[in-house]
Amino acid sequence: MPPPASSNGNGIDKLDYRPSDVRRPLLQPDADSDSSRPSQDTSYAGSFFEQVAEGIAERDRRKMQRQVVRWLGFIWAILNCLCAGSITAYSLYGHLFQSRLHYTQFQVNIVSITAELAMYLPVPVFGYLCDRLGPGVPSFLSGFLFGLGYLLAAFSYHSGPPPSAGGEGWPFGVMVLAFVGVGMGTSCMYLSAVTTCAKNFGRGKHKGLALAVPIAAFGLSGMWQSQVGSRLLYERAPDGSRGDVDVFRYFLFLGITLLCVGFIGTFTLKIVDEEEMIDEAVEELERSGLLARDEFFHRAADIHGYGTMNTGDLSESQFDFLQTEAERLKFRAAEDARKKSWLLNEETRRFLTDHTMWWLAAGFFLVTGPGEAFINNLGTIIGTLTHPHTSSSPTSPATHVSIVAITSTAARLITGTLSDILAPVTPNHQHRRGTGPLENSISLHGAAGPYKPFTLSRLVFLLTFSILLSLGQILLASGLIQNHANRFAWVSALIGAGYGAVFSLVPIVISVVWGVENFGTNWGILATAPAAGATVWGAVYAAVYQRAIGSGDEGPGGSAEEVLCYGQKCYAPTFWAMAISVWVACGLWIWAWRGPGGWKKRGIAV
């Protein structure tokens, strides 16, 4: 071996060794004194840990901001629902349309039915807006529609009877148009609130309660608004006592209040972590085999163009890299938007082609229609229970609007809470299961809660409360309440409880069976059923009522020209038919649950 090139005898060349290298810190360009090394080492270490601490603090700050937005949205959603159900107090003043504006029962029902149609038929459009643009847009729209509708109704009422009734007031069509705005505002405000809660809390183990609370608040809105009208905004009777509600001032109060609530909801109703929710849904579709992976991944691989970075020219490579990164970010933004749109459209298609949805919707139509007709005609039903020459009625519409609201709210809260506690454990994305054993195994391991030794399906609660609703209808139709108006509270309580439970459980069932990603659109589609039901049963009630007046044997004085009816004949046939309608609905829901191709057969835990 040749000897090493060295000027000294230790075998180390002087060019290979510089004593200053031992003392100079790695990141210091020039040789400094030994005393500077500890402080600079501490500085670099401190800078690193400061960056880590700042990163943790920033992450916690963002997490806290998301929680604040989530809970602020939940609180305002409840407030939105507490105000949105003003149409449920229609019976507070519906009978005054007859006595003050000289509307017939058909005209009174035309106003309420128009409001119902305007409330339910556009719901798919409003649900689409919630899913695509966020719930703030429908909330803003609700404030505008409510304000315009109630202000127009107030001045239409204040003008007096219409020309068709021999008066000089505004035409009857103006009142109908006003309640179109009221109906649309109701659905906008309600749907924006419920969608916010469904998407922000629908993937947790308390999804039932998260939906039940705002839905229950919607039921309470009619109660407190009717009490404000009957106890604060009332007319003075000639003897100085409290009379009927002052409809003009009541409409002004509702218009201004709901206008403000809707506008504020524009800024407070936000969806948190929606991108993460969409990504999880798409990944689950890929894993279940319902979506090919290369539909979302091949373009990303092609557009990067990594080969252009191996040019050897550093500046050109840097430019190409930055250009590629810019293209990647632009493509990702467009792909995220396309991915969300594709997913929601696919979810809508799957929802509409599921035959069990149509059984659920048919039952919803057969139950909610009678409930809506009862609530809208409370005032005139009470008028048929006591003879018109009786000095005073032992009850009032405001009292029964409150009874319906309280029992409806209690039923919504009870069913929402108990369904969370007793319903079967719901696997995540169970509605997207593939048909293979691997996909089923993966889905079953994604259960959203612990094992429950005892479970009770949500359909059991739905059927039970529907039967309770039919019992209230039978009690009224049997004649046991006639001339005993103080017993009418039992009818209001039973129908209110059944009605509230159905409106609480059906949205929960939709979120469980078909997921929450497209909840606004799915619930909007199904929510058109009550519009048709209210139209049919409102018309049936009005026809039976008018026929009883025309028969002359139970109307006051036997005159067919009277606009008020008295006696069991005014309502009994309608409510017998309503009870049968509810029983048919129960049969349809059982078929959707346990029939061929039903949820039970498909392994969907409801």
Side-chain angles (χ1 to χ4, degrees):
M1 171 183 285
S6 174
S7 62
N8 47 26
N10 57 8
I12 302 177
D13 188 10
K14 65 180 181 179
L15 296 177
D16 300 328
Y17 173 73
R18 289 182 295 178
S20 62
D21 289 342
V22 176
R23 296 188 302 270
R24 188 176 73 223
L26 290 174
L27 300 179
Q28 182 177 325
D30 299 320
D32 293 325
S33 63
D34 291 343
S35 61
S36 68
R37 179 180 178 183
S39 63
Q40 292 200 15
D41 285 347
T42 303
S43 174
Y44 292 129
S47 177
F48 170 75
F49 286 112
E50 284 176 2
Q51 292 178 4
V52 173
E54 288 177 0
I56 295 174
E58 179 64 23
R59 182 193 64 190
D60 292 342
R61 187 160 46 247
R62 287 196 299 266
K63 183 177 180 181
M64 178 62 69
Q65 288 175 348
R66 289 196 299 269
Q67 291 298 323
V68 169
V69 171
R70 190 192 309 272
W71 285 103
L72 178 62
F74 182 71
I75 292 171
W76 199 262
I78 294 174
L79 185 59
N80 258 27
C81 285
L82 275 173
C83 297
S86 60
I87 192 65
T88 61
Y90 183 80
S91 294
L92 180 67
Y93 49 83
H95 64 289
L96 297 178
F97 287 173
Q98 282 183 305
S99 59
R100 305 288 177 83
L101 301 183
H102 303 159
Y103 290 176
T104 66
Q105 182 62 47
F106 267 120
Q107 289 178 312
V108 172
N109 275 74
I110 285 173
V111 174
S112 65
I113 289 171
T114 301
E116 298 280 353
L117 291 174
M119 180 168 63
Y120 289 117
L121 291 183
V123 169
V125 177
F126 298 145
Y128 183 91
L129 291 177
C130 284
D131 289 332
R132 267 63 175 186
L133 303 180
V137 173
S139 183
F140 175 85
L141 190 58
S142 72
F144 172 77
L145 291 169
F146 266 133
L148 179 64
Y150 273 121
L151 291 178
L152 188 60
F155 288 99
S156 178
Y157 180 88
H158 192 63
S159 68
S164 60
E168 298 180 354
W170 291 6
F172 171 71
V174 176
M175 184 67 77
V176 174
L177 179 63
F179 273 82
V180 169
V182 172
M184 295 176 69
T186 301
S187 63
C188 276
M189 186 170 285
Y190 172 78
L191 195 60
S192 63
V194 174
T195 300
T196 301
C197 297
K199 293 198 173 186
N200 283 341
F201 298 94
R203 292 179 293 167
K205 62 180 181 180
H206 299 301
K207 61 171 70 70
L209 187 60
L211 282 175
V213 171
I215 293 173
F218 181 82
L220 280 177
S221 58
M223 182 197 72
W224 76 263
Q225 288 166 359
S226 66
Q227 292 302 314
V228 167
S230 63
R231 296 181 181 275
L232 298 179
L233 305 175
Y234 56 85
E235 300 172 335
R236 287 287 181 183
D239 59 358
S241 61
R242 187 171 63 200
D244 288 314
V245 60
D246 187 331
V247 179
F248 175 69
R249 289 197 298 154
Y250 182 65
F251 283 169
L252 290 179
F253 161 74
L254 290 177
I256 296 171
T257 301
L258 297 174
L259 174 71
C260 296
V261 172
F263 282 0
I264 296 174
T266 306
F267 308 101
T268 55
L269 299 179
K270 305 289 184 182
I271 305 299
V272 180
D273 297 332
E274 186 176 23
E275 296 81 4
E276 177 184 344
M277 178 176 64
I278 295 295
D279 288 339
E280 287 181 3
V282 172
E283 289 173 6
E284 186 64 26
L285 283 172
E286 293 170 346
R287 184 167 56 184
S288 66
L290 298 174
L291 172 65
R293 176 175 293 273
D294 39 358
E295 183 171 350
F296 286 141
F297 290 93
H298 283 332
R299 289 189 185 180
D302 294 338
I303 203 170
H304 274 276
Y306 290 110
T308 59
M309 299 178 65
N310 300 325
T311 62
D313 188 340
L314 184 61
S315 61
E316 184 178 349
S317 176
Q318 282 279 54
F319 176 80
D320 290 342
F321 174 75
L322 293 175
Q323 189 176 34
T324 303
E325 284 296 300
E327 289 294 328
R328 185 183 66 83
L329 293 174
K330 180 180 179 180
F331 172 78
R332 182 177 178 181
E335 189 69 11
D336 286 344
R338 190 179 74 86
K339 181 165 56 175
K340 176 181 177 180
S341 178
W342 178 90
L343 175 70
L344 297 181
N345 290 336
E346 176 66 14
E347 290 295 321
T348 303
R349 184 193 67 79
R350 289 167 57 81
F351 180 72
L352 290 174
T353 55
D354 189 340
H355 69 279
T356 60
M357 183 279 290
W358 296 101
W359 297 124
L360 180 65
F364 198 45
F365 160 80
L366 293 172
V367 172
T368 56
E372 297 279 356
F374 173 80
I375 292 172
N376 290 338
N377 293 285
L378 263 175
T380 57
I381 294 172
I382 291 173
T384 66
L385 300 179
T386 55
H387 198 279
H389 298 305
T390 304
S391 59
S392 63
S393 174
T395 188
S396 68
T399 299
H400 291 276
V401 169
S402 298
I403 291 174
V404 170
I406 291 172
T407 54
S408 173
T409 301
R412 294 171 201 240
L413 291 174
I414 290 171
T415 53
T417 304
L418 289 181
S419 66
D420 277 342
I421 297 173
L422 299 177
V425 175
T426 304
N428 291 327
H429 306 289
Q430 64 173 347
H431 60 294
R432 299 191 188 92
R433 284 184 186 174
T435 57
L438 176 60
E439 291 81 4
N440 284 330
S441 175
I442 291 173
S443 295
L444 288 171
H445 280 85
Y451 170 75
K452 298 180 181 180
F454 173 77
T455 61
L456 200 60
S457 172
R458 293 177 176 89
L459 268 295
V460 174
F461 294 105
L462 187 60
L463 296 171
T464 300
F465 278 89
S466 297
I467 296 300
L468 287 179
L469 188 150
S470 70
L471 290 179
Q473 294 163 338
I474 293 172
L475 184 62
L476 179 60
S478 65
L480 294 175
I481 311 299
Q482 187 63 39
N483 297 320
H484 299 282
N486 56 324
R487 301 176 184 173
F488 192 65
W490 288 101
V491 177
S492 299
L494 288 170
I495 295 180
Y499 176 85
V502 169
F503 261 96
S504 174
L505 288 166
V506 169
I508 296 173
V509 169
I510 291 174
S511 70
V512 170
V513 176
W514 292 282
V516 299
E517 294 81 12
N518 204 42
F519 175 82
T521 303
N522 292 346
W523 170 233
I525 292 171
L526 207 69
T528 59
T535 301
V536 171
W537 290 107
V540 169
Y541 173 79
V544 172
Y545 188 98
Q546 291 294 137
R547 183 180 178 183
I549 294 175
S551 66
D553 56 356
E554 292 199 32
S559 173
E561 297 179 358
E562 295 286 351
V563 296
L564 299 177
C565 183
Y566 162 72
Q568 183 181 352
K569 189 177 180 179
C570 302
Y571 56 81
T574 303
F575 281 89
W576 279 120
M578 286 179 176
I580 296 172
S581 173
V582 173
W583 297 339
V584 173
C586 291
L588 294 177
W589 287 336
I590 293 174
W591 185 262
W593 178 26
R594 292 182 170 271
W599 303 321
K600 184 77 172 179
K601 301 292 185 182
R602 286 151 53 180
I604 296 178
V606 185

